[in-house]
Amino acid sequence: MRRANIVSNNNDKKLKVLIVDDEPPARRNLRALLKRDPEIEWVKECGNGKEAVASIRAWQPDLIFLDVQMPELDGFAVLDQLAGQPLPVIIFVTAYDQYALQAFEVSALDYLLKPFSDERFRKALEQAKRQIAQQDASELGQKLMQLLGTRELKTDAPRYLTRLMVKTTGRVIFVRTEEIDWIEAYDNYIRLHVGGKAYLLRQTMNELEASLNPEQFARIHRSTIVNLDRIKELHPHFNGEHLVILRDGTELKLSRSRKDWLEQWLVAGAR
């Protein structure tokens, strides 16, 4: 049976970074480290919490290095002031380890404890890049799906799904249902087999089956849905069971209860 690859991709977006720290040497150190990275578009600084709140609203950075202890507004108070609006990715930077748990409770991505090494900083920055790339891919996918849905409604709205959105690392892929060879249940996911590749999708078999065109897809086993156009042969198997052979040689088990129906469909060309 064929094996498939999960597709991944690099995101080439340049990042806007804000450093919030009341200590100038700490800001200079972070700025120097960030300047080495060609994927950084710009770096700006704030010296206190109030300034940080206004700057985040005005500049909408992708990533913030946020000090915890600052005069008037500390790092957590800054986030409180911004409650209810989209936040950038946050990495707390502090000399005190007792705030770590609280930091992660407010969805901080990482917690850099001063003094930190260049390697520790690099790991935190790379983690932030991955997080931002995933967020951007998810937002892009939602916008594209809205556009596609709007366009379809303006024409003849399809009765069944014509494409599926699959999220991978830093990327959103749209798979046309007609390109799917077969589908299998995979723990809490389903796995789409498409032209030698495989994509995981968090959805149940029952939900997906109900949204697919029954003239094109059929459930031939509890854990298998097949594109009927891909079927080449039926073969007898053990104990009265049968196998469905696809054009690419993939062998799929056929439920006994579906055998007669499938044979009839393949002969007649329709249900």
Side-chain angles (χ1 to χ4, degrees), residues 69-216:
Q69 286 201 323
M70 294 182 291
E72 299 185 40
L73 283 182
D74 65 17
F76 298 110
V78 168
L79 299 183
D80 287 341
Q81 295 274 319
L82 297 167
Q85 66 184 75
L87 288 174
V89 170
I90 300 160
I91 296 177
F92 275 103
V93 185
T94 178
Y96 305 95
D97 60 3
Q98 65 265 35
Y99 301 113
L101 180 59
Q102 188 179 356
F104 289 115
E105 286 177 346
V106 294
S107 302
L109 178 69
D110 206 341
Y111 190 91
L112 283 177
L113 191 61
K114 301 176 185 175
F116 49 82
S117 66
D118 290 3
E119 179 61 18
R120 179 67 182 86
F121 171 83
R122 189 189 64 77
K123 288 182 177 177
L125 181 57
E126 291 303 315
Q127 186 183 10
K129 289 178 183 177
R130 290 194 294 272
Q131 177 78 12
I132 292 166
Q134 290 173 356
Q135 289 177 352
D136 288 348
S138 177
E139 291 171 3
L140 175 62
Q142 290 175 4
K143 290 177 180 176
L144 286 172
M145 288 301 287
Q146 289 173 355
L147 288 173
L148 291 169
T150 301
R151 189 185 68 176
E152 285 166 355
L153 285 173
K154 287 179 179 177
T155 58
D156 293 326
R159 183 179 174 187
Y160 302 104
L161 275 181
T162 58
R163 60 178 63 82
L164 292 166
M165 185 178 73
V166 181
K167 297 177 183 177
T168 67
T169 305
R171 189 177 181 187
V172 174
I173 298 170
F174 294 94
V175 177
R176 295 189 63 81
T177 53
E178 64 188 20
E179 297 172 344
I180 298 172
D181 299 317
W182 63 286
I183 303 159
E184 66 175 328
Y186 188 79
D187 292 332
N188 295 323
Y189 294 79
I190 56 173
R191 184 149 56 185
L192 309 177
H193 294 265
V194 185
K197 296 180 181 178
Y199 305 97
L200 286 179
L201 190 64
R202 192 172 182 84
Q203 191 171 15
T204 68
M205 290 288 278
N206 288 340
E207 289 172 349
L208 184 59
E209 182 185 18
S211 62
L212 294 172
N213 185 348
E215 297 293 335
Q216 186 174 22

